[in-house]
Amino acid sequence: MSRSDGDIGLRFGPGNLIDPPYVTHRESPGPPITYSVVIMKDLFRLVVPALTFTMLMLCLVFKASAQTSSTAPWSTETIESPALGKRILYVATPDDYRSRTKRYPVLVMLDGNDIPMLKLFIAQAAYLADNVPGFPEFIVVGVANGPDRIYDMTTPATGSSIGMFKATGGAAAFAAFILDEVLPLVRSKYRTLPSTVLAGHSAGGLFGVYVAATRPGVFQGIIACSPSLWYNDSSVVMAYADMIAKSPKAQRLFASSGGFEHDIDVTTQHFARRLDSLTRGSATFSYHRYPDDTHSLTPMEGWSDGLRFIFGPLSMDHLELAHLDYAHADSSALEGALLSSEHDYAIAAGSLGIPPQLPEDILNSIGYRLLSRKRPKLGITVFERNVKAYPESVNVYDSLGDGFLAAGDTASAIFNFKLSVARARQTGVAVPEETRSKLDALIQHR
């Protein structure tokens, strides 16, 4: 992993925080171990720890600089922070960002210069948006590490943590940097929504839990993968859980741990049990344990599960529209499902800083579902609702044109395809080739 200044999730020698897989004992059925297997197992235990220790030390030595790529799917922003000095941000926008005018939630990922993890986070966010109806697209902001990662992500060391790292105690300043410098810059240069999520792994996960406890509600959601809650002799477990339980503002917190990171796994489970035992105010919490994951692998599942937990209430699966019989529903049933879904979605969206109206893509998919069932009049009803909700969109007019085309109303189809082209030119986005082709074909055959 490309991180500078070590990883707070790893310690070496006696009492190391993460028991590597080769010393983790798990009961499982199987045949008796033969003598030769025992010999090989003993050799394995002698050789692998030494090799593992060497490789981990090399990782610590060579993880100081960020990786770059000429084809990186993001732009780079530089902040000259009065408090923290020069810092780098990697900002990834949705694929169609330049061809649309909509605004997007912001996902802030710590350890942004861990390029494989940043790519994973971007890919998972995009995949969920493509495959979960109602799930928003995102602007992902990777915050690269400064010269001392551990200092940025920790509170002052106490107990046995004193002397473990060269410097600690910069968490408050780092949180202020993200809130007062990173987010204002991103919001000034990109089309964003108020909805903001913070995601961190290891020391970044510890920092995420710290922010949830000390700055409740500044992020609508926080993902803490493998948080280093052993820090300061685990005193933060009880303290942060109690503070989060009393949160006066709504926030959704997701935490995870793996079965092969012993101390992190134990302390995170303790944190989850403590938080679950308390009567919570406005905070919503979920914990997932991945029994077969090592410390480095928990983000593979944790990022996706965390995003699904935070934005799950927006999923179309929770709406009445998802259960409507589109082949047989009449206009009254459709209207009732739309009104119910609009109401439920608005409540969920309000808690996440998302606009209250049903997303354009949901209404669009419902309209085409009705067209596919040979119900163009009902499809037109939904498309017209989308035009009313998103009059600046290019696509809503194209879809309404398809509805009229399916109903045999060529004149109205042409009118709306022309509106789509005009809206594209007005907003400065490229005219969709499909819209232009349909319009040209209809005009030619009039």
Side-chain angles (χ1 to χ4, degrees):
M1 300 178 73
S2 310
R3 298 182 185 173
S4 63
D5 219 20
D7 190 331
I8 199 170
L10 302 177
R11 282 169 61 188
F12 306 100
N16 55 321
L17 285 173
I18 301 175
D19 286 337
Y22 53 81
V23 298
T24 299
H25 304 287
R26 304 179 66 191
E27 296 181 2
S28 60
I33 300 175
T34 64
Y35 180 71
S36 59
V37 172
V38 171
I39 292 175
M40 292 303 295
K41 191 172 182 181
D42 288 342
L43 287 173
F44 184 76
R45 288 185 173 179
L46 287 172
V47 174
V48 172
L51 290 175
T52 303
F53 178 84
T54 302
M55 292 303 295
L56 288 172
M57 289 302 294
L58 288 173
C59 286
L60 293 180
V61 171
F62 291 111
K63 62 169 62 170
S65 61
Q67 302 177 42
T68 58
S69 170
S70 59
T71 58
W74 50 70
S75 58
T76 301
E77 305 285 351
T78 301
I79 294 181
E80 295 290 347
S81 171
L84 303 184
K86 182 178 178 179
R87 295 296 175 101
I88 304 299
L89 309 178
Y90 303 109
V91 184
T93 56
D95 289 340
D96 60 355
Y97 180 83
R98 296 185 182 279
S99 65
R100 305 182 76 172
T101 59
K102 66 184 294 186
R103 295 181 175 272
Y104 303 88
V106 177
L107 305 182
V108 178
M109 195 199 89
L110 305 175
D111 292 315
N113 56 321
D114 184 338
I115 299 304
M117 190 162 71
L118 179 60
K119 288 181 176 178
L120 171 70
F121 196 48
I122 293 170
Q124 289 186 336
Y127 186 86
L128 288 170
D130 283 344
N131 290 279
V132 181
F135 215 87
E137 296 176 283
F138 303 96
I139 293 174
V140 177
V141 180
V143 181
N145 297 327
D148 192 336
R149 171 179 180 263
I150 298 303
Y151 175 79
D152 284 343
M153 297 187 184
T154 56
T155 54
T158 62
S160 63
S161 294
I162 296 175
M164 188 179 297
F165 305 101
K166 66 181 182 181
T168 60
F174 190 51
F177 165 71
I178 293 173
L179 294 170
D180 300 336
E181 298 185 62
V182 171
L183 290 176
L185 182 143
V186 171
R187 298 197 189 288
S188 70
K189 301 184 73 170
Y190 299 87
R191 300 192 308 273
T192 66
L193 291 172
S195 181
T196 313
V197 170
L198 177 68
H201 172 246
S202 192
L206 173 66
F207 177 79
V209 177
Y210 159 80
V211 171
T214 61
R215 293 173 176 261
V218 296
F219 293 96
Q220 279 69 40
I222 292 178
I223 302 172
C225 285
S226 299
S228 299
L229 293 169
W230 57 263
Y231 183 67
N232 286 349
D233 300 320
S234 305
S235 63
V236 295
V237 169
M238 300 286 282
Y240 289 166
D242 291 354
M243 294 169 72
I244 291 168
K246 298 175 183 177
S247 174
K249 297 182 179 179
Q251 60 178 339
R252 298 177 71 82
L253 171 63
F254 174 89
S256 67
S257 65
F260 290 118
E261 46 176 4
H262 181 265
D263 281 16
I264 285 178
D265 190 29
V266 170
T267 52
T268 306
Q269 289 185 66
H270 185 191
F271 172 77
R273 286 194 297 269
R274 175 65 178 177
L275 196 48
D276 283 338
S277 72
L278 300 172
T279 300
R280 293 193 295 272
S282 300
T284 307
F285 174 66
S286 179
Y287 165 69
H288 283 201
R289 183 175 186 268
Y290 309 115
D292 298 321
D293 280 1
T294 60
H295 184 65
S296 297
L297 290 182
T298 53
M300 286 283 292
E301 298 174 279
W303 290 152
S304 176
D305 286 342
L307 288 173
R308 291 173 68 185
F309 166 70
I310 292 169
F311 290 99
L314 301 180
S315 170
M316 186 177 173
D317 291 339
H318 298 294
L319 304 178
E320 188 175 335
L321 282 168
H323 311 289
L324 186 68
D325 182 358
Y326 289 92
H328 303 98
D330 58 17
S331 58
S332 176
L334 175 63
E335 181 65 19
L338 283 167
L339 290 173
S340 173
S341 297
E342 286 170 344
H343 173 268
D344 292 345
Y345 184 88
I347 293 174
S351 67
L352 291 168
I354 301 288
Q357 63 265 36
L358 282 173
E360 175 187 339
D361 293 342
I362 281 187
L363 290 171
N364 205 53
S365 67
I366 292 169
Y368 280 107
R369 189 178 299 184
L370 289 163
L371 294 190
S372 70
R373 286 159 175 77
K374 310 300 183 184
R375 313 198 70 186
K377 290 185 178 180
L378 292 182
I380 288 171
T381 298
V382 175
F383 289 140
E384 288 177 334
R385 207 182 197 102
N386 222 9
V387 168
K388 184 177 180 180
Y390 300 96
E392 300 301 316
S393 170
V394 173
N395 189 60
V396 293
Y397 299 100
D398 176 85
S399 297
L400 182 54
D402 285 340
F404 282 118
L405 195 60
D409 187 344
T410 303
S412 295
I414 291 174
F415 177 76
N416 279 281
F417 290 146
K418 285 183 176 180
L419 282 178
S420 180
V421 171
R423 182 63 65 196
R425 290 171 176 163
Q426 290 171 2
T427 55
V429 302
V431 176
E433 186 60 35
E434 182 183 353
T435 304
R436 191 192 301 274
S437 297
K438 288 185 289 189
L439 181 58
D440 290 345
L442 287 173
I443 292 175
Q444 192 173 27
H445 290 88
R446 289 185 71 176

